[in-house]
Amino acid sequence: MQIQDLPYPDPGVPDARSGSRFLWWLFRNQLGGQLKSLAWGLLHFLSISALPFCVGVAIQAVVDHSGRRLALAGGLLALCCAGSALGDTFLHRTAVTNWITAAARVQQLLAHKAANLGSALTRRVAAGEVVAVSTGDVEKIGWFVEAWSRFTAAAVTVVVVCAGLVVYQPALGGVVAVGLPFLALAALPLLPRATRRADFQREKAGRATELASDTVAGLRVLRGIGGEELFLDRYRKASQEVRHAAVRSARMWSLIAAIQVLLPGLLLIAVVWYGVHLARQGRVEIGELVAVYSSVMILTYPLRHFEEIAMAYSFSRPSATRAARVLSLERATSAEGSLDRAGDDLPNGDLYDPATGLLAPSGRLTAVVCGDPDAAGLLAERLGGHPSEQGTSVLLGGVPLDELPLGSARTAVLVQDKDPVLLSGTLRDLLDVPASGAVAAQEALAAAQCADVLAALAQGSLDAEDPMDARITERGRSLSGGQRQRLALARSLFTDPEVLVLDEPTSAVDSHTEARIAQGVRDLRDGRTTVVFTSSPLLLDHADRVVLVHEGEVLAVGVHRELVRKEPRYRAVVTRETDEETGRDGVLSEVRVLNDDGVLNDDDVLNELAEIEETA
């Protein structure tokens, strides 16, 4: 796989049982690139390591006044320099390719997992951890995959050079052969402590990232309640903890680096001292002494890769563990499905949930009232065919959604959760989504009452003549909560799915705008199945059918005004009654009744109270 071939057609199925297994899986899937990098690394390192032998031959040729051997040494030097340059160039090329392709593979796997799990991902893993894995952790994993081939080439080079020195000059070569393994393994006792400190640093950094993400996401609310400085102080404290942990980790790595410099220096001193002693006895030629001395100096270069691979593994292992933890998450139901249906052969008909008994008739607007907002969110996910827990499948036209491929299920049923996300870009980009083509963008924006939102976006983007070219900041943070909700609703309406499930789509919108949205959604979705989870009377009064779900079961079905009169539990949820108000004389003390225009009417309220008192 080359960089220009990215992304992968299929990134594969990762071994996510542990961080180490995940790293090994990545290595096996890039075996071709690793072997190329190893080959170029061997050419580079062996060419550099051969330079001292060439220098030693040249010096000895000068001492012996041999022009032929001097010319031979010069030719060998030129060949080694060419091999070193060529090997270094392509080693860097292949190593970076391994790094980028490994990081791209991990990012694709994470993206596929996020798309597979949907909104259930952030309920099972903190959002800050997902961000940390998909950014910094991906780079560290790629670093280890890239460094492994260079380390292998360096280790093979050290072994070959030691063997060559023993053959070339047994006395001095034996000293080097005994000393080098000790140098390579000297830092091993320090690695566990260094790894623990690196893990602690990663943990603190991940916590700081989560805190920063949560603070930025809730900045508008924090400013409203005066809690901005409180959370900033918490982040300052968390960042200082990260700094202290990083300093402690750096101290350990600096100690390991110092050992990697000190011990080769001591070995070099020992080789020189012993070599001079042997030269005085006539047992070693001057050229041989220079060659061995130079070889020991050159070997400090490949030995650095022993330290690098230790650092890369220490930093990448916790990153790989976090990535494996995310990638090991599974959907409650299979994403493949057992039915093979084309995109234009999707099921249609009534939407039915056997677990709760909820029925949403085809082509009708059904409103669902739940006393528990969390239960409403879980039920909305179930209706979309991607529940967070295993259970009986929701049926669409008698076809279980669990048996459809995930893409087909999401095409048939679109779920907009209560906190939809707006990505950065223009409004045109926001509406660049798969759609039926039956609903125009302007129709969807008008139904969602986005006129003032368009005006605000156009005013904030002076260079955009068309409001559709106005830019939206990340997550729509420059907009109010109600404006974000309306743009997200317009996007869902523009998609025009067979079944649209909306979870509290107007919770941040004022009542007058909410009434107009209710009418707009009803008109635009006429003939399409729409399910709205809400407790707003303004929306409930426009529904063809209202269903009360309590503790996972359907308790009552009817229309809004009928249920307000006859069902105390429904009335308590919709009117926000307390238990005392609900039981006091059986009289509804607080009721909201809507006329056909969606506006509160005092006469209707009085009539409603009178009827309830007579019934009581």
Side-chain angles (χ1 to χ4, degrees):
M1 172 63 70
Q2 298 298 317
I3 295 176
Q4 61 265 25
D5 299 326
L6 294 173
Y8 288 94
D10 180 11
V13 180
D15 186 348
R17 289 177 289 177
S18 67
S20 300
R21 290 177 182 271
F22 181 59
L23 289 174
W24 174 242
W25 177 84
L26 281 176
F27 176 81
R28 287 189 291 106
N29 278 270
Q30 294 191 247
L31 189 58
Q34 294 290 339
L35 292 177
K36 288 181 182 178
S37 184
L38 174 61
W40 291 116
L42 287 174
L43 176 61
H44 174 59
F45 289 127
L46 290 176
S47 297
I48 290 179
S49 300
L51 290 175
F53 293 97
C54 298
V55 172
V57 171
I59 292 176
Q60 193 62 43
V62 172
V63 172
D64 296 339
H65 303 285
S66 174
R68 185 179 63 82
R69 281 189 293 164
L70 184 60
L72 176 63
L76 291 176
L77 279 171
L79 186 62
C80 289
C81 289
S84 174
L86 184 66
D88 189 26
T89 300
F90 284 95
L91 171 62
H92 179 75
R93 180 186 179 91
T94 55
V96 170
T97 298
N98 289 338
W99 186 337
I100 294 176
T101 52
R105 186 188 295 272
V106 177
Q107 285 182 324
Q108 278 189 253
L109 290 170
L110 291 171
H112 288 179
K113 182 60 65 174
N116 193 344
L117 293 176
S119 59
L121 175 62
T122 52
R123 285 203 297 270
R124 301 168 69 178
V125 180
E129 183 171 354
V130 177
V131 173
V133 170
S134 59
T135 53
D137 286 340
V138 166
E139 293 187 4
K140 294 178 180 64
I141 293 171
W143 177 27
F144 176 76
V145 174
E146 174 263 340
W148 179 257
S149 57
R150 288 190 287 113
F151 161 73
T152 306
V156 172
T157 300
V158 169
V159 174
V160 171
V161 171
C162 287
L165 287 175
V166 171
V167 174
Y168 179 69
Q169 177 35 253
L172 290 176
V175 175
V176 176
V178 171
L180 280 179
F182 177 74
L183 297 183
L185 302 176
L188 284 181
L190 299 177
L191 287 181
R193 181 176 297 182
T195 301
R196 287 195 297 271
R197 292 190 179 185
D199 291 348
F200 184 73
Q201 178 192 351
R202 294 297 169 276
E203 180 182 346
K204 291 295 183 181
R207 171 57 185 156
T209 302
E210 292 178 18
L211 186 59
S213 177
D214 293 342
T215 302
V216 172
L219 193 56
R220 185 185 296 270
V221 177
L222 293 176
R223 286 174 176 170
I225 63 176
E228 183 179 6
E229 285 299 324
L230 174 63
F231 275 78
L232 286 177
D233 289 339
R234 290 181 181 178
Y235 180 73
R236 291 189 188 101
K237 181 179 178 181
S239 65
Q240 288 302 312
E241 291 177 352
V242 174
R243 183 179 68 83
H244 289 306
V247 169
R248 292 184 71 248
S249 178
R251 286 173 181 168
M252 184 56 63
W253 288 112
S254 63
L255 176 60
I256 293 175
I259 292 174
Q260 293 293 319
V261 174
L262 175 63
L263 294 183
L266 294 177
L267 177 61
L268 190 61
I269 293 173
V271 168
V272 171
W273 179 84
Y274 187 54
V276 170
H277 176 70
L278 293 178
R280 287 178 177 177
Q281 295 179 353
R283 296 168 57 187
V284 173
E285 299 289 342
I286 297 299
E288 293 176 338
L289 177 58
V290 172
V292 175
Y293 168 79
S294 301
S295 295
V296 175
M297 289 191 63
I298 291 293
L299 283 177
T300 58
Y301 172 56
L303 282 175
R304 293 176 190 171
H305 292 79
F306 286 73
E307 176 192 352
E308 182 190 10
I309 195 64
M311 291 184 64
Y313 180 73
S314 298
F315 280 82
S316 66
R317 187 182 58 81
S319 297
T321 300
R322 280 196 293 267
R325 183 163 58 245
V326 174
L327 295 174
S328 64
L329 299 176
E330 296 293 342
R331 285 173 47 85
T333 58
S334 172
E336 300 299 329
S338 58
L339 298 179
D340 186 14
R341 286 175 176 257
D344 57 352
D345 187 27
L346 297 174
N348 55 59
D350 296 344
L351 184 68
Y352 176 65
D353 178 24
T356 59
L358 172 62
L359 174 66
S362 176
R364 308 288 294 278
L365 174 59
T366 301
V368 181
V369 176
C370 290
D372 183 0
D374 293 334
L378 294 175
L379 180 54
E381 285 189 354
R382 281 181 51 78
L383 295 180
H386 34 93
S388 56
E389 299 178 356
Q390 290 185 346
T392 306
S393 175
V394 171
L395 305 177
L396 177 59
V399 178
L401 288 181
D402 289 356
E403 297 182 6
L404 293 175
L406 183 59
S408 299
R410 287 180 172 172
T411 300
V413 183
L414 173 63
V415 179
Q416 177 183 305
D417 61 23
K418 65 184 65 178
D419 187 23
V421 175
L422 303 181
L423 301 179
S424 58
T426 65
L427 183 57
R428 197 181 306 277
D429 295 333
L430 177 70
L431 297 178
D432 185 17
V433 294
S436 68
V439 177
Q442 294 302 326
E443 291 178 325
L445 291 168
Q449 300 299 311
C450 293
D452 63 317
V453 185
L454 296 178
L457 288 174
Q459 184 178 5
S461 302
L462 299 179
D463 57 340
E465 297 181 0
D466 187 346
M468 296 295 291
D469 296 324
R471 295 199 62 81
I472 301 173
T473 58
E474 181 186 1
R475 300 182 68 90
R477 291 194 175 98
S478 61
L479 304 173
S480 68
Q483 290 174 327
R484 288 197 298 271
Q485 274 193 337
R486 282 179 280 165
L487 285 178
L489 177 60
R491 179 177 58 187
S492 299
L493 294 174
F494 173 71
T495 302
D496 190 38
E498 182 66 32
V499 179
L500 177 60
V501 179
L502 303 172
D503 187 5
E504 295 288 354
T506 58
S507 58
V509 178
D510 64 85
S511 58
H512 293 284
T513 304
E514 187 178 25
R516 293 194 295 269
I517 290 176
Q519 187 62 50
V521 170
R522 181 181 178 86
D523 293 342
L524 193 64
R525 293 287 299 173
D526 186 31
R528 294 289 218 181
T529 307
T530 307
V531 181
V532 182
F533 286 82
T534 183
S535 59
S536 168
L538 292 157
L539 288 176
L540 294 170
D541 197 56
H542 283 80
D544 298 314
R545 194 167 186 265
V546 178
V547 180
L548 173 64
V549 177
H550 180 70
E551 295 183 353
E553 294 182 357
V554 172
L555 292 186
V557 178
V559 294
H560 168 59
R561 302 191 183 202
E562 175 186 349
L563 292 176
V564 165
R565 295 189 187 97
K566 298 181 179 179
E567 181 55 54
R569 290 181 180 176
Y570 178 84
R571 188 164 60 241
V573 174
V574 173
T575 63
R576 278 72 167 176
E577 283 184 338
T578 62
D579 293 339
E580 180 181 355
E581 290 170 334
T582 303
R584 188 175 54 200
D585 299 326
V587 178
L588 178 62
S589 63
E590 185 180 345
V591 66
R592 299 176 70 190
V593 182
L594 306 175
N595 62 16
D596 294 337
D597 296 328
V599 180
L600 294 176
N601 187 300
D602 292 339
D603 292 336
D604 288 340
V605 173
L606 294 175
N607 293 335
E608 191 78 13
L609 288 171
E611 291 181 11
I612 292 173
E613 289 178 353
E614 291 177 2
T615 303

Short mmCIF file of all heavy atoms in Angstrom, two decimals, residues 526-549:
data_model
loop_
_atom_site.label_atom_id
_atom_site.label_comp_id
_atom_site.label_asym_id
_atom_site.label_seq_id
_atom_site.Cartn_x
_atom_site.Cartn_y
_atom_site.Cartn_z
N ASP A 526 -46.39 15.16 5.20
CA ASP A 526 -47.69 14.57 4.90
C ASP A 526 -47.51 13.34 4.02
O ASP A 526 -46.88 13.40 2.95
CB ASP A 526 -48.57 15.61 4.20
CG ASP A 526 -49.99 15.09 3.99
OD1 ASP A 526 -50.45 14.30 4.83
OD2 ASP A 526 -50.61 15.47 2.99
N GLY A 527 -48.06 12.21 4.44
CA GLY A 527 -47.93 10.96 3.70
C GLY A 527 -46.69 10.17 4.06
O GLY A 527 -46.50 9.06 3.54
N ARG A 528 -45.84 10.70 4.92
CA ARG A 528 -44.63 10.00 5.38
C ARG A 528 -44.78 9.68 6.86
O ARG A 528 -45.47 10.39 7.61
CB ARG A 528 -43.39 10.87 5.19
CG ARG A 528 -43.04 11.15 3.74
CD ARG A 528 -42.52 9.92 3.05
NE ARG A 528 -41.44 10.19 2.13
CZ ARG A 528 -40.85 9.27 1.40
NH1 ARG A 528 -41.26 8.01 1.48
NH2 ARG A 528 -39.88 9.57 0.58
N THR A 529 -44.13 8.61 7.30
CA THR A 529 -44.20 8.21 8.71
C THR A 529 -43.24 9.06 9.52
O THR A 529 -42.04 9.13 9.22
CB THR A 529 -43.83 6.72 8.87
OG1 THR A 529 -44.64 5.94 7.99
CG2 THR A 529 -44.03 6.27 10.30
N THR A 530 -43.77 9.72 10.54
CA THR A 530 -42.96 10.59 11.39
C THR A 530 -43.28 10.27 12.85
O THR A 530 -44.44 10.17 13.23
CB THR A 530 -43.25 12.07 11.12
OG1 THR A 530 -43.11 12.33 9.71
CG2 THR A 530 -42.29 12.96 11.89
N VAL A 531 -42.22 10.10 13.64
CA VAL A 531 -42.36 9.85 15.08
C VAL A 531 -41.61 10.95 15.81
O VAL A 531 -40.42 11.18 15.55
CB VAL A 531 -41.80 8.47 15.48
CG1 VAL A 531 -41.97 8.24 16.97
CG2 VAL A 531 -42.47 7.37 14.68
N VAL A 532 -42.30 11.65 16.72
CA VAL A 532 -41.70 12.75 17.46
C VAL A 532 -41.76 12.43 18.95
O VAL A 532 -42.87 12.21 19.49
CB VAL A 532 -42.41 14.09 17.18
CG1 VAL A 532 -41.73 15.22 17.94
CG2 VAL A 532 -42.41 14.39 15.69
N PHE A 533 -40.63 12.38 19.61
CA PHE A 533 -40.58 12.23 21.06
C PHE A 533 -40.59 13.63 21.66
O PHE A 533 -39.66 14.42 21.45
CB PHE A 533 -39.32 11.48 21.48
CG PHE A 533 -39.36 10.02 21.19
CD1 PHE A 533 -39.06 9.54 19.93
CD2 PHE A 533 -39.71 9.11 22.18
CE1 PHE A 533 -39.10 8.18 19.64
CE2 PHE A 533 -39.75 7.75 21.91
CZ PHE A 533 -39.45 7.28 20.64
N THR A 534 -41.63 13.94 22.40
CA THR A 534 -41.78 15.29 22.95
C THR A 534 -42.78 15.27 24.09
O THR A 534 -43.57 14.33 24.22
CB THR A 534 -42.24 16.27 21.85
OG1 THR A 534 -42.30 17.59 22.38
CG2 THR A 534 -43.61 15.88 21.32
N SER A 535 -42.73 16.31 24.90
CA SER A 535 -43.77 16.53 25.92
C SER A 535 -44.37 17.91 25.75
O SER A 535 -45.05 18.40 26.65
CB SER A 535 -43.17 16.38 27.32
OG SER A 535 -42.11 17.31 27.52
N SER A 536 -44.11 18.53 24.60
CA SER A 536 -44.63 19.87 24.34
C SER A 536 -46.05 19.79 23.80
O SER A 536 -46.30 19.16 22.76
CB SER A 536 -43.73 20.59 23.33
OG SER A 536 -44.35 21.76 22.85
N PRO A 537 -47.01 20.44 24.45
CA PRO A 537 -48.39 20.44 23.93
C PRO A 537 -48.49 21.03 22.54
O PRO A 537 -49.38 20.67 21.77
CB PRO A 537 -49.15 21.29 24.96
CG PRO A 537 -48.33 21.23 26.20
CD PRO A 537 -46.90 21.15 25.74
N LEU A 538 -47.61 21.94 22.19
CA LEU A 538 -47.65 22.57 20.87
C LEU A 538 -47.41 21.55 19.77
O LEU A 538 -47.99 21.64 18.69
CB LEU A 538 -46.61 23.68 20.80
CG LEU A 538 -46.91 24.90 21.68
CD1 LEU A 538 -45.63 25.65 21.99
CD2 LEU A 538 -47.90 25.81 20.99
N LEU A 539 -46.53 20.60 20.00
CA LEU A 539 -46.29 19.53 19.04
C LEU A 539 -47.33 18.43 19.17
O LEU A 539 -47.80 17.87 18.18
CB LEU A 539 -44.89 18.95 19.23
CG LEU A 539 -43.70 19.82 18.80
CD1 LEU A 539 -42.39 19.13 19.16
CD2 LEU A 539 -43.76 20.10 17.31
N LEU A 540 -47.69 18.10 20.40
CA LEU A 540 -48.62 17.01 20.64
C LEU A 540 -49.99 17.28 20.01
O LEU A 540 -50.66 16.36 19.53
CB LEU A 540 -48.77 16.76 22.14
CG LEU A 540 -47.51 16.26 22.87
CD1 LEU A 540 -47.72 16.31 24.38
CD2 LEU A 540 -47.18 14.84 22.42
N ASP A 541 -50.40 18.54 20.01
CA ASP A 541 -51.72 18.87 19.49
C ASP A 541 -51.79 18.74 17.97
O ASP A 541 -52.88 18.66 17.41
CB ASP A 541 -52.09 20.30 19.90
CG ASP A 541 -53.57 20.56 19.75
OD1 ASP A 541 -54.37 19.81 20.34
OD2 ASP A 541 -53.92 21.50 19.02
N HIS A 542 -50.62 18.71 17.30
CA HIS A 542 -50.60 18.55 15.84
C HIS A 542 -50.43 17.10 15.41
O HIS A 542 -50.44 16.81 14.22
CB HIS A 542 -49.46 19.39 15.24
CG HIS A 542 -49.77 20.85 15.16
ND1 HIS A 542 -49.64 21.68 16.26
CD2 HIS A 542 -50.21 21.63 14.14
CE1 HIS A 542 -49.96 22.92 15.90
NE2 HIS A 542 -50.31 22.92 14.63
N ALA A 543 -50.26 16.19 16.36
CA ALA A 543 -50.02 14.79 16.02
C ALA A 543 -51.32 14.08 15.69
O ALA A 543 -52.37 14.35 16.28
CB ALA A 543 -49.32 14.09 17.17
N ASP A 544 -51.25 13.16 14.74
CA ASP A 544 -52.41 12.32 14.42
C ASP A 544 -52.69 11.32 15.53
O ASP A 544 -53.83 10.92 15.74
CB ASP A 544 -52.16 11.56 13.11
CG ASP A 544 -51.98 12.49 11.94
OD1 ASP A 544 -52.76 13.43 11.79
OD2 ASP A 544 -51.03 12.27 11.16
N ARG A 545 -51.62 10.96 16.23
CA ARG A 545 -51.73 9.90 17.23
C ARG A 545 -50.70 10.18 18.32
O ARG A 545 -49.54 10.46 18.04
CB ARG A 545 -51.45 8.55 16.56
CG ARG A 545 -51.84 7.32 17.33
CD ARG A 545 -51.77 6.14 16.36
NE ARG A 545 -52.25 4.91 16.96
CZ ARG A 545 -51.48 3.99 17.54
NH1 ARG A 545 -50.17 4.18 17.56
NH2 ARG A 545 -52.00 2.90 18.05
N VAL A 546 -51.12 10.11 19.57
CA VAL A 546 -50.22 10.34 20.70
C VAL A 546 -50.15 9.06 21.52
O VAL A 546 -51.19 8.45 21.82
CB VAL A 546 -50.69 11.51 21.58
CG1 VAL A 546 -49.75 11.68 22.77
CG2 VAL A 546 -50.76 12.80 20.77
N VAL A 547 -48.94 8.65 21.86
CA VAL A 547 -48.71 7.42 22.61
C VAL A 547 -47.98 7.76 23.90
O VAL A 547 -46.95 8.45 23.88
CB VAL A 547 -47.89 6.41 21.79
CG1 VAL A 547 -47.67 5.12 22.58
CG2 VAL A 547 -48.57 6.12 20.46
N LEU A 548 -48.51 7.30 25.01
CA LEU A 548 -47.85 7.47 26.31
C LEU A 548 -47.10 6.19 26.63
O LEU A 548 -47.70 5.11 26.71
CB LEU A 548 -48.88 7.78 27.40
CG LEU A 548 -48.33 7.80 28.83
CD1 LEU A 548 -47.31 8.91 29.01
CD2 LEU A 548 -49.48 7.94 29.85
N VAL A 549 -45.78 6.30 26.82
CA VAL A 549 -44.95 5.16 27.19
C VAL A 549 -44.43 5.40 28.59
O VAL A 549 -43.79 6.44 28.88
CB VAL A 549 -43.77 5.00 26.21
CG1 VAL A 549 -42.86 3.85 26.65
CG2 VAL A 549 -44.28 4.75 24.79
#
